[in-house]
Amino acid sequence: MKNQIKHFIVLFLIFSISMSAQIKIGDKTPSITLKDNTNNDVNITSFKGKYVLVDFWASWCAPCRLGNKKLVKLHNEVNSSKVEIIGISIDTDANKWLKAIEKDKIKFTQLIDPKGFDANAALQFGVEELPSKYLFNPEGILIAKNPSEEEIMKLIKS
């Protein structure tokens, strides 16, 4: 019985820690600095003052690649002085990531955290599946998780 209680406590602690790592509606944008596709350091908090849509994706993820097409279209439709789209790839192979950016004709900010689902950014956001999207308001507060394109447009126009 004591072993079962110890096992339960350990599982509960692990679950509690992992749940606290997940970003929640109302949380501030985490300060994460990653390399972009031109090898510059970019901190995602540097876009405060705009709506920021953070999109976690990978080159090998078919739904992500379809999503890229929608995000490219969205990027072309929104005012870049009011909205920033940031793609964060968890690709472990930077060359595949760069080829996907080129092939998908992505012009918005692209960052890489090349450790797969163990990437620090993915852990801080609590990414469990791809693609995963997070919309922050101009004050840097999370207002939506995995919003549709329609929801994004409605939120940024309100």
Side-chain angles (χ1 to χ4, degrees):
M1 184 71 171
K2 283 185 180 179
N3 281 343
Q4 288 176 325
I5 291 172
K6 285 180 185 176
H7 184 71
F8 174 77
I9 291 171
V10 168
L11 286 174
F12 178 76
L13 288 173
I14 290 170
F15 179 75
S16 297
I17 291 167
S18 70
M19 288 306 290
S20 66
Q22 292 185 0
I23 193 167
K24 298 175 284 310
I25 301 293
D27 286 351
K28 286 195 169 283
T29 309
S31 181
I32 297 171
T33 300
L34 298 169
K35 294 283 186 192
D36 70 8
N37 52 317
T38 59
N39 209 32
N40 292 314
D41 288 334
V42 176
N43 188 305
I44 63 172
T45 61
S46 65
F47 299 100
K48 201 170 183 178
K50 297 181 179 186
Y51 282 94
V52 177
L53 179 66
V54 177
D55 173 52
F56 283 87
W57 71 288
S59 64
W60 46 261
C61 167
C64 299
R65 300 297 293 277
L66 288 172
N68 282 348
K69 291 180 196 299
K70 292 178 181 179
L71 289 176
V72 166
K73 183 176 183 278
L74 179 68
H75 181 254
N76 292 333
E77 292 174 359
V78 296
N79 182 338
S80 61
S81 67
K82 294 183 179 180
V83 181
E84 186 71 33
I85 301 173
I86 302 172
I88 299 180
S89 170
I90 60 169
D91 273 288
T92 55
D93 183 334
N95 288 325
K96 289 181 181 176
W97 166 62
L98 292 169
K99 286 178 184 170
I101 291 170
E102 187 178 332
K103 184 172 184 186
D104 294 353
K105 297 178 176 64
I106 300 172
K107 301 292 184 216
F108 51 88
T109 304
Q110 286 296 306
L111 308 174
I112 188 166
D113 199 344
K115 295 185 181 144
F117 282 100
D118 293 329
N120 181 45
L123 293 173
Q124 283 193 48
F125 275 81
V127 174
E128 295 175 347
E129 63 183 9
L130 294 179
S132 286
K133 292 178 182 52
Y134 302 83
L135 182 63
F136 295 87
N137 69 13
E139 291 75 42
I141 305 296
L142 183 65
I143 58 172
K145 283 184 172 182
N146 292 315
S148 67
E149 287 76 25
E150 295 79 22
E151 290 171 316
I152 293 166
M153 293 303 280
K154 183 179 175 190
L155 287 166
I156 63 177
K157 286 181 178 178
S158 62

